[in-house]
Amino acid sequence: MRYLPKSPAERRAMLDRVGVTSADELFHVIPEEYRLRRDLAVPPQMGESEIIDHFRQAAAKNAVGYASFLGAGCYRHYRPVVIDSLVQRGEFLTSYTPYQAEITQGTLQAIFEFQTMICELTGMDVANASMYDGSTGAAESIMMATRITGRSHSVVASTVHPEYREVMSTYAQHQGLPSSTVGYDAKSGRINLDLLDAAITSDTACVLVQSPNFFGVVEDIPAIAAIAHAKGALLIVSIAEAISLGIVRPPVEADIVSMEAQSFGVALSYGGPYCGVIATKDRFIRQMPGRLVGETRDADGNRGFVLTLATREQHIRREKATSNICTNQALVALMATVYLTVYGKEGLRELARQNLAKADFAAKTLASQPGTRQLFATSPRFNEFVLFTEEAPATLNARLLDQKIIGGLDLSRWYPELGHATLWCATELNTRAQMEAAASTLACAPVEA
Amino acid sequence: MATETLKPSATLASGPTPRNTTLGKVRTHPTQNEGLIFEKSSPGKRAVKLPPLDVPEADAERILGDSFRAEPAPLPEVSEIEIIRHFTRLSTWNYAIDLGMYPLGSCTMKYNPRVNEFIARIEGLAEAHPYQPESLAQGSLEVVSLLEQCLIEITGMDAITLQPAAGAHGEFTGILLVRAYHESRGNARRKVIVPDSAHGTNPATAAICGYEVQNLKSNALGMVDVAELERIVDEDTAALMLTNPSTIGVFESEIHKIADVLHAKGALLYMDGANMNALVGKARPGDFGVDVMHLNLHKTFSTPHGGGGPGSGPVACKAILEPFLPTPVLARKADGSFGWNFDRPQSVGRVRAFYGNYGMFLRALAYILANGPDGLRQTTEDAVLNANYIRASLEDLYELPYKTASMHEVVFSDRRQAQRGVKTGDIAKRIIDYGFHPFTVSFPMIVSGALMIEPTESESKEELDLFIAAMRAIASEVEETPELVKNAPHSTRVSRLDEATAARKPVLRWRPVE
């Protein structure tokens, strides 16, 4: 076995020291009836080239060479080469949670930089070292808000990513935390502020909205915050498309921001691993879940970094912890940190501008075809938009696939009231030619056989 | 910059360590100082060039209105070479498996094969969008299917979900399955029993699933006290969360009796699979009475720990719990193709968006394929042999609180060294000077001053011998020069850090100097 660094002679020498004749003897404490006396039925050992072939064959069965307009919580952005050069350094890749600060200063300083960048992007005071992803981060934010306020109820916008809402509901329902959903204004695609106001009770811990929301529409955060705060509820803003922060006003009125940082240089990878992160105001730090890195000094006065405020965490507090989270998404957070360093202040701005322009052009081009129109067209938006078509999304998308185009996401599964609606995303990677090809396919009325 | 000037720390004897001085397997060499990336920023520097926009510029201020961001976030402005140097310099301040033995007990710090990284970046897999049509994702789904089959076979269970993102998330999912099972029988029940030797995540998980945590004291052997368990299990018990082998690295030989005690009262047995590296190919939890368990792909199945994550925590269960698995579950359709099944009326719901940490599935499967059944078994045997070799080589100098046979890890205590005022944490800091990552310190809690050592199968006899020699040398130092150990480490870039001030006056982000 090529990963095992021992010769038969070395194994024998070690067995001698231990005082047994075979390694199998070391398992004698397992009652014989539970011992596996056969080979596991898994595929036989493969050489490295066979392994690569195996996965290449799998890859070939996926969509390769398609233009894609899918977004909806997972965004295709260019990943600068230096990201993988750096995160594949063994010192980052093959270390673990920096419990021993003296020999993990690299990871600790990088996390400190990540926390700082997330604060700068979101307008919050403090950010943690990462959560699993945007959906679990949102669920943990609600639990955090219930601890801060001592209230149990949450109000969630129906324009939050439907899968995020499912996860929040899983977390809340098993702890007996009630939740209600508030619908959107049919014209603007933004949360209905009157319904929101009516939904908040004296037991409401928080209001959770996503911005840009699932339709790509930017919510009116100051107005939502005013309504929530007037009734003593906290405002949580979930952000699924992090690149938006390059040009969309940060949700500074929020009490908690729960973000998915996948857009910052993380491959789509069929849905994960991604990188959630929670940011908040200073006064709520001690109710925050997840790891935090803080700056300090060593005995000789040198600057250094440590994991801190661990008394919130499970390994100290056990059943009284703020969360059960232990392993997080550190390496993915490092990808995001490198990405944000590569793009920098001006680069992220320009990238966000390009995304906005691409989506704007795509929306106009697609919506100008016969039988189609853009929904929520007058609302502020970033790089996603909803298209209404007379043709059913299933048949439309089948025709697009024939042209090697993966069209917008069919929304009928979650928003049947919208009819033939699809959610489109255009990033800096979508070319004008792709948009025009999609538009001309849309324009071709289906030919009756 | 002034703050980064490395002052000489307390030295080994007196004065600076002479050049070419070797301690165990290491000698020191310079590391580069490096400030925060923000401190290198200067307006106008760039590391990126975007292609020209091929569509008309949009009027962002008009489209966004009041939501337009007037001031860009003050991210660092640096060039590409500075980025490479910055993060490379930081990386050299880390210890890692790639540098040497990392015997952090309970974390299974084994070799992370590089082919895993390679295949995870193959374009058709790495660029797959979770919402692309299933007909165009069959390759991704085949990987899920084969990994599921392998993990079900390895654990001896009946069904599995790969959705949980890490071990603790798997625990959460598993206990939700337990809860849903009991609810389906009319009563969710009230409490979950957790041994005092358990990982902190176990009680934290039970609590966030709405259960009261009942502690179970370990017996004199550090194992589950079956009589005590029998006394406290009742119709209000939803489950016992058990780590097997336990956190002292010992197999619960009465495991089936434990399962029987629980099952007799309708309660379930949850197994924390953190220590599965001791069992793969040798014994299967499904065969010894476990109803539901999680695996850590980042431990047993070699996916990289990455400085703290990502992990992946699949949950395997018996058929009675299958209806409650999170949605969606992978299904094989009539035409032989794979697809996601969302129609699961009894499901506990989703625990994560999309399908889990898919990139880790690719790596774990590559690991299984590289090993095959014989390789997996040999891996387990080597992991257990390594731990026992360390035990046999150190038990004359370090106190072994429980004499029960060790599996994949060995837990000593600092009882003898503490008599000289040296604690497990001091020994941990001192072993850094010898070129090793420390063992896990002060855990499990049932051992006062624990040194929890898990070498994994990835260590050669040579590296183990160096570790043993270092531990023996430290034991002598404790007798002869205890201060040397108490002030360690002496060779690192930073000496012991002031954690108290860090917690009292938290500085959690950089701010520009006003």
Side-chain angles (χ1 to χ4, degrees):
Chain A
M1 235 322 283
R2 62 187 183 278
Y3 302 150
L4 298 176
K6 273 191 267 301
S7 70
E10 287 165 341
R11 282 199 184 93
R12 266 197 307 280
M14 291 175 68
L15 289 168
D16 286 347
R17 165 95 57 97
V18 174
V20 293
T21 53
S22 75
D24 194 59
E25 267 182 55
L26 297 169
F27 295 80
H28 71 275
V29 287
I30 305 178
E32 184 56 36
E33 63 265 41
Y34 309 133
R35 295 286 302 279
L36 189 69
R37 294 298 185 189
R38 62 167 174 84
D39 277 355
L40 285 166
V42 299
Q45 226 179 83
M46 289 184 184
E48 185 173 290
S49 61
E50 292 174 287
I51 293 171
I52 291 171
D53 282 348
H54 177 91
F55 288 99
R56 280 208 169 119
Q57 282 170 24
K61 294 175 193 165
N62 277 356
V64 179
Y66 282 73
S68 170
F69 289 94
L70 290 173
C74 318
Y75 301 94
R76 231 164 48 88
H77 291 290
Y78 179 71
R79 301 181 66 237
V81 168
V82 299
I83 293 176
D84 276 352
S85 306
L86 291 168
V87 303
Q88 287 200 87
R89 283 193 64 92
E91 300 93 327
F92 286 130
L93 186 75
T94 75
S95 65
Y96 199 22
T97 305
Y99 298 116
Q100 296 289 347
E102 295 89 343
I103 47 169
T104 46
Q105 282 297 302
T107 292
L108 285 162
Q109 181 169 325
I111 295 173
F112 185 80
E113 293 175 349
F114 173 76
Q115 291 174 183
T116 303
M117 289 179 193
I118 296 299
C119 291
E120 290 179 338
L121 286 163
T122 57
M124 294 290 109
D125 299 324
V126 49
N128 68 9
S130 72
M131 305 298 290
Y132 305 134
D133 78 326
S135 69
T136 55
E140 293 260 14
S141 297
I142 290 178
M143 289 157 62
M144 179 179 162
T146 62
R147 290 191 298 270
I148 292 169
T149 59
R151 300 174 175 190
S152 63
H153 172 246
S154 57
V155 173
V156 177
S158 70
T159 47
V160 172
H161 194 301
E163 294 198 13
Y164 285 25
R165 283 188 283 132
E166 287 177 46
V167 173
M168 286 183 251
S169 151
T170 303
Y171 273 71
Q173 95 190 54
H174 297 287
Q175 297 180 72
L177 301 176
S179 178
S180 39
T181 306
V182 171
Y184 56 90
D185 178 82
K187 187 164 182 301
S188 70
R190 288 174 145 186
I191 190 170
N192 183 313
L193 297 179
D194 295 331
L195 293 177
L196 172 66
D197 191 41
I200 303 173
T201 71
S202 58
D203 187 42
T204 302
C206 60
V207 170
L208 189 147
V209 300
Q210 178 181 321
S211 183
N213 67 23
F214 194 65
F215 300 146
V217 172
V218 179
E219 294 282 4
D220 186 351
I221 299 299
I224 295 166
I227 292 169
H229 291 159
K231 295 191 179 178
L234 302 184
L235 173 62
I236 303 171
V237 175
S238 166
I239 300 172
E241 170 48 299
I243 300 290
S244 65
L245 288 166
I247 199 148
V248 174
R249 185 181 168 278
V252 291
E253 294 82 3
D255 301 285
I256 303 170
V257 173
S258 169
M259 201 165 108
E260 169 56 69
Q262 177 268 325
S263 287
F264 295 151
V266 184
L268 288 173
S269 191
Y270 204 54
Y274 293 168
C275 179
V277 51
I278 291 180
T280 189
K281 301 280 171 71
D282 273 333
R283 61 183 183 279
F284 302 134
I285 292 176
R286 283 172 205 271
Q287 290 304 334
M288 198 174 195
R291 304 214 190 274
L292 287 167
V293 171
E295 183 184 321
T296 188
R297 299 268 151 189
D298 74 358
D300 304 301
N302 297 301
R303 176 165 68 187
F305 301 90
V306 289
L307 289 175
T308 193
L309 299 175
T311 50
R312 302 162 297 116
E313 294 186 61
Q314 46 77 24
H315 60 285
I316 309 287
R317 293 274 283 171
R318 297 177 79 85
E319 64 266 29
K320 296 189 177 64
T322 54
S323 164
N324 73 339
I325 192 168
C326 180
T327 291
N328 56 24
Q329 302 285 122
L331 196 72
V332 194
L334 178 64
M335 286 184 194
T337 309
V338 175
Y339 182 93
L340 288 168
T341 308
V342 169
Y343 276 90
K345 180 182 174 186
E346 298 301 331
L348 189 71
R349 184 77 158 182
E350 189 185 347
L351 178 69
R353 276 189 183 280
Q354 284 210 357
N355 272 255
L356 191 127
K358 294 270 191 175
D360 186 55
F361 182 79
K364 283 176 181 152
T365 309
L366 295 174
S368 66
Q369 304 310 314
T372 60
R373 67 173 195 276
Q374 185 188 351
L375 300 185
F376 323 125
T378 57
S379 292
R381 64 189 177 277
F382 180 56
N383 66 2
E384 287 176 285
F385 57 91
V386 179
L387 196 69
F388 178 86
T389 51
E390 284 172 10
E391 188 179 2
T395 55
L396 168 65
N397 278 335
R399 290 196 300 115
L400 287 163
L401 285 180
D402 289 341
Q403 306 302 314
K404 298 213 99 176
I405 296 168
I406 300 176
L409 179 68
D410 184 349
L411 291 178
S412 62
R413 187 167 131 207
W414 298 297
Y415 303 95
E417 70 278 11
L418 291 177
H420 292 170
T422 42
L423 175 66
W424 294 68
C425 174
T427 72
E428 77 279 7
L429 292 178
N430 290 97
T431 62
R432 181 177 188 142
Q434 290 171 356
M435 297 169 199
E436 286 169 346
S440 63
T441 307
L442 248 67
C444 295
V447 180
E448 299 293 330
Chain B
M1 113 191 13
T3 52
E4 275 301 304
T5 312
L6 197 67
K7 295 175 192 155
S9 48
T11 48
L12 290 177
S14 62
T17 311
R19 190 195 302 272
N20 295 334
T21 298
T22 290
L23 183 65
K25 62 168 184 159
V26 289
R27 57 175 200 259
T28 54
H29 76 110
T31 56
Q32 308 274 330
N33 286 346
E34 179 71 6
L36 289 162
I37 192 70
F38 310 100
E39 294 162 347
K40 307 183 93 68
S41 177
S42 181
K45 286 200 281 190
R46 292 193 70 140
V48 74
K49 160 97 180 78
L50 285 164
L53 193 58
D54 64 355
V55 298
E57 282 281 0
D59 185 346
E61 286 195 65
R62 185 188 58 74
I63 290 171
L64 287 168
D66 291 342
S67 303
F68 180 75
R69 180 171 196 147
E71 273 302 310
L75 295 170
E77 295 177 85
V78 290
S79 62
E80 184 168 318
I81 174 65
E82 291 170 289
I83 294 170
I84 290 287
R85 284 215 179 125
H86 176 73
F87 290 101
T88 302
R89 286 173 176 175
L90 296 195
S91 76
T92 65
W93 304 347
N94 273 1
Y95 190 86
I97 302 170
D98 282 5
L99 286 167
M101 181 169 164
Y102 205 126
L104 196 60
S106 241
C107 297
T108 313
M109 301 299 288
K110 63 167 67 183
Y111 172 58
N112 306 140
R114 287 315 194 272
V115 70
N116 299 3
E117 297 305 307
F118 182 88
I119 59 99
R121 287 171 170 83
I122 293 173
E123 191 187 345
L125 299 170
E127 297 304 317
H129 191 288
Y131 291 141
Q132 73 194 37
E134 284 173 1
S135 60
L136 294 175
Q138 287 299 305
S140 294
L141 297 176
E142 274 180 21
V143 169
V144 172
S145 172
L146 183 55
L147 180 62
E148 286 188 352
Q149 286 172 46
C150 290
L151 297 179
I152 284 172
E153 164 68 4
I154 287 167
T155 55
M157 307 298 276
D158 300 321
I160 195 164
T161 174
L162 306 184
Q163 206 177 91
H169 203 214
E171 292 175 27
F172 170 71
T173 307
I175 295 299
L176 288 188
L177 297 183
V178 168
R179 191 182 179 92
Y181 166 81
H182 288 305
E183 271 171 359
S184 77
R185 297 159 65 92
N187 176 8
R189 303 195 168 199
R190 202 168 44 81
K191 64 184 185 189
V192 166
I193 300 174
V194 179
D196 52 7
S197 58
H199 298 109
T201 49
N202 292 177
T205 296
I208 63 166
C209 293
Y211 281 113
E212 189 181 301
V213 176
Q214 184 163 17
N215 249 296
L216 175 64
K217 246 179 90 62
S218 300
N219 67 15
L221 298 172
M223 296 161 82
V224 168
D225 185 333
V226 180
E228 174 65 8
L229 179 70
E230 205 155 3
R231 200 182 63 75
I232 64 173
V233 173
D234 58 24
E235 273 72 23
D236 251 346
T237 306
L240 166 71
M241 294 182 84
L242 185 71
T243 307
N244 193 23
S246 72
T247 54
I248 57 167
V250 166
F251 190 85
E252 297 278 1
S253 49
E254 296 194 293
I255 184 69
H256 209 275
K257 223 184 268 177
I258 293 169
D260 288 346
V261 167
L262 293 162
H263 293 155
K265 301 281 181 181
L268 299 179
L269 177 56
Y270 182 94
M271 187 175 118
D272 180 327
N275 294 340
M276 196 63 198
N277 211 43
L279 299 181
V280 175
K282 301 295 287 185
R284 307 192 310 163
D287 296 338
F288 54 68
V290 171
D291 299 299
V292 51
M293 65 178 294
H294 77 266
L295 294 163
N296 300 80
L297 298 187
H298 50 294
K299 296 182 181 178
T300 317
F301 297 95
S302 85
T303 75
H305 282 75
S312 177
V315 171
C317 64
K318 290 282 172 64
I320 49 164
L321 297 175
E322 193 276 342
F324 311 107
L325 287 173
T327 46
V329 296
L330 189 71
R332 189 138 211 180
K333 296 178 179 171
D335 65 358
S337 69
F338 294 103
W340 293 108
N341 178 8
F342 293 86
D343 183 19
R344 304 271 304 171
Q346 288 188 279
S347 166
V348 296
R350 242 179 208 293
V351 296
R352 188 195 177 283
F354 317 116
Y355 320 112
N357 277 348
Y358 183 85
M360 301 300 116
F361 310 163
L362 292 165
R363 290 168 174 88
L365 182 59
Y367 171 82
I368 292 168
L369 296 179
N371 276 285
D374 45 342
L376 290 173
R377 185 171 50 230
Q378 181 75 63
T379 294
T380 305
E381 289 180 354
D382 278 7
V384 172
L385 175 60
N386 282 0
N388 278 279
Y389 183 71
I390 289 173
R391 173 173 163 162
S393 307
L394 291 178
E395 65 184 326
D396 58 329
L397 296 179
Y398 292 89
E399 183 80 10
L400 196 63
Y402 297 106
K403 310 284 187 271
T404 328
S406 295
M407 298 288 288
H408 68 302
E409 63 193 5
V410 56
V411 179
F412 294 106
S413 89
D414 64 9
R415 200 176 70 88
R416 290 181 217 176
Q417 290 72 29
Q419 288 162 9
R420 307 283 296 178
V422 176
K423 302 288 180 53
T424 174
D426 301 321
I427 301 167
K429 295 299 185 198
R430 182 58 177 152
I431 196 112
I432 291 171
D433 287 330
Y434 285 85
F436 292 96
H437 192 282
F439 38 83
T440 292
V441 169
S442 306
F443 183 83
M445 289 165 176
I446 58 168
V447 174
S448 163
L451 293 72
M452 185 196 220
I453 304 172
E454 181 184 9
T456 83
E457 71 280 6
S458 301
E459 300 312 326
S460 64
K461 181 172 179 297
E462 181 192 10
E463 185 81 359
L464 293 168
D465 286 339
L466 287 163
F467 176 76
I468 290 160
M471 288 295 286
R472 298 190 70 86
I474 295 170
S476 302
E477 289 170 358
V478 170
E479 297 303 321
E480 291 150 20
T481 50
E483 293 305 310
L484 180 68
V485 182
K486 284 162 76 172
N487 296 321
H490 303 280
S491 57
T492 46
R493 280 186 55 80
V494 291
S495 53
R496 290 198 193 188
L497 290 146
D498 183 356
E499 295 186 3
T501 303
R504 205 170 50 244
K505 293 187 211 152
V507 178
L508 304 173
R509 58 166 296 185
W510 175 83
R511 283 181 198 276
V513 181
E514 294 294 326

